[in-house]
């Protein structure tokens, strides 16, 4: 069974994203987090298939969470607006998102699984 982590402050956005993930992967376990520290703690017990993070990707790889995801080769992506271009080389989920755009992102992340830096 696949596990996904969502780091999102807004409950409605997190719930919508979880719904879209379950539409793509009906048996998925989706865990919602509001703080990076909580994700880091959960990573000690579970390796998710992907992590979706709502934050500016600039400098993320220098954070404790960014380093943990990189070290564990855990695919991750950022939620942003369709016009965000500050994430060159990073996976982005444009907001507003749909079940289709989430499924497309999850397929891309799945292909990058196990590759450092994703």
């Amino acid at each position: 069974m696949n596990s996904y982590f969502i780091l999102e402050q807004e409950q409605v956005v997190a719930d919508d994203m979880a719904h879209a993930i379950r539409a793509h992967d009906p048996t998925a376990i989706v865990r919602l987090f509001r703080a990076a520290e909580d994700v880091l703690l959960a990573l000690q017990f579970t390796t998710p298939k992907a992590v979706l993070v709502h934050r500016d990707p600039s400098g993320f790889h220098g954070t404790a969470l960014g380093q943990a995801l990189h070290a564990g080769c855990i695919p991750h992506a950022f939620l942003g607006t369709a016009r965000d271009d500050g994430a060159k080389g990073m996976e982005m989920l444009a907001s507003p998102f749909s079940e289709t755009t989430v499924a497309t992102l999850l397929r891309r992340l799945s292909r990058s699984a196990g590759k450092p830096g994703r």
Side-chain angles (χ1 to χ4, degrees):
M1 195 173 309
N2 293 323
S3 174
Y4 298 88
F5 289 0
I6 298 172
L7 177 57
E8 169 60 62
Q9 292 290 319
E10 297 295 325
Q11 188 68 42
V12 172
V13 176
D15 288 342
D16 285 350
M17 207 177 303
H19 172 78
I21 289 171
R22 287 187 194 104
H24 169 72
D25 187 350
T27 62
I29 296 172
V30 182
R31 296 196 49 201
L32 309 178
F33 300 91
R34 290 186 180 223
E37 296 78 21
D38 295 333
V39 176
L40 285 167
L41 181 62
L43 287 172
Q44 294 177 21
F45 305 99
T46 304
T47 301
K49 185 168 181 160
V51 177
L52 303 178
V53 181
H54 190 176
R55 69 154 276 168
D56 180 351
S58 301
F60 178 74
H61 291 313
T63 67
L65 179 56
Q67 292 173 359
L69 296 177
H70 179 78
C73 297
I74 300 169
H76 55 282
F78 301 91
L79 179 65
T81 63
R83 61 187 172 278
D84 282 345
D85 62 357
K88 297 195 184 334
M90 295 183 202
E91 291 288 351
M92 293 290 296
L93 175 62
S95 180
F97 55 85
S98 67
E99 289 179 6
T100 302
T101 59
V102 169
T104 299
L105 172 71
L106 294 177
R107 282 191 291 275
R108 283 195 317 261
L109 290 175
S110 180
R111 287 192 298 267
S112 71
K115 297 177 186 173
R118 284 299 216 200

